[in-house]
Amino acid sequence: MSQTNLISRRSFCLCCAAASASAATGGWLSPREAYAEARGVVSLVRDSAAVSPIVAHQLRGSISVLEGSGGNIAVLTGPDGNLLVDAGIGVSRTHVTEALDKLSADPVTHLINTHWHFDHADGNAWLGALGAKITAHENTRKYLSQVQRVEDYDYNFLPLPIDGLPSDVFANEHAIKVNRASVGMKYYGSAHTDSDISVTFAEADIVHVGDTYWNGLYPFIDYSTGGSIDGMIAASDANLAATTDKTIIIPGHGKPASNRAELQEFRDMLVAVRENVAKLKKQGRSRDETVAAKPTATFDAKWGNSVIDPGFFTRLVYQGV
């Protein structure tokens, strides 16, 4: 198995859940078909997360990233306690705790959610119960506070317990000082969802951009909670404008330490696929006819190796153009 596939599976374990279904159909299942074939992918993802190892990558200074529990988790250590960006999946608690203990003996005192999705915020419950102060965009709190359906998952997510809800919410921008680090948060608007934020560690020149960037993978776009392909492109433009060639960029999924050149490649892929799909839709092609035309073909070898396979991604883009 290639290193790319290992990274894809560890970083986004939906790959594992849908692998057999995708292989059986040539990798062109619709979202609903993929999840039906996977027989309840959210449950399978949780089962996978319960046993998956957590790999720590040291970035700069006191900042690391943990890979293996849903989305990539950034960790800032220091005398004020550990700050996490994203919480992963709750059943990973034992493995996440072990990985954190190797970085620092201090408790987690601060948690920031980049958005509301379960693979980034499900761990809020146990971290909040232990006393972590949770910060997020106001829409993240809204979605985590109620039963929330994601149509392309064919799944209804239950609200988190009160301890797992963000208590510190904001609308546009927010900043805190923790462990002598300036931590800035900024809202994207509609992007992967309408709850996405970036988290910037100014002194270290590191930014966690959440699921507005999937490194080496086609991204999921959650139209159920305000996402859009145009918003994803706009978020990529904002991320490029806010970074330099020296900035370490942490994506929501995929290889956890990225850079501006890789982000530019992701952005260019989004634009090209959008243009291809829009042209076919303007010609009057149906969704299935557009999928059959394979408008992602140029990019599939690099980006199409997860459950967000070429057909799935094409359908997501078609919905938004």
Side-chain angles (χ1 to χ4, degrees), residues 163-184:
D163 285 342
L165 298 178
S167 59
D168 186 17
V169 298
F170 64 94
N172 294 308
E173 295 188 38
H174 188 55
I176 59 177
K177 193 85 171 182
V178 178
N179 296 327
R180 298 182 293 275
S182 303
V183 184

Side-chain angles (χ1 to χ4, degrees), residues 260-280:
R260 200 168 183 274
E262 291 177 339
L263 174 60
Q264 181 72 58
E265 186 179 5
F266 175 77
R267 184 264 182 198
D268 292 345
M269 176 274 294
L270 294 180
V271 171
V273 172
R274 189 206 182 282
E275 290 177 353
N276 292 346
V277 172
K279 183 182 299 183
L280 291 166

Side-chain angles (χ1 to χ4, degrees), residues 186-239:
K186 190 170 183 178
Y187 179 52
Y188 289 104
S190 172
H192 166 69
T193 68
D194 64 7
S195 66
D196 302 286
I197 64 170
S198 62
V199 182
T200 300
F201 300 94
E203 293 85 0
D205 194 14
I206 295 173
V207 58
H208 196 316
V209 298
D211 278 6
T212 68
Y213 174 32
W214 295 45
N215 192 9
L217 304 168
Y218 286 137
F220 179 61
I221 304 170
D222 184 5
Y223 290 91
S224 295
T225 54
S228 72
I229 179 60
D230 290 340
M232 286 289 287
I233 294 168
S236 294
D237 288 337
N239 291 332

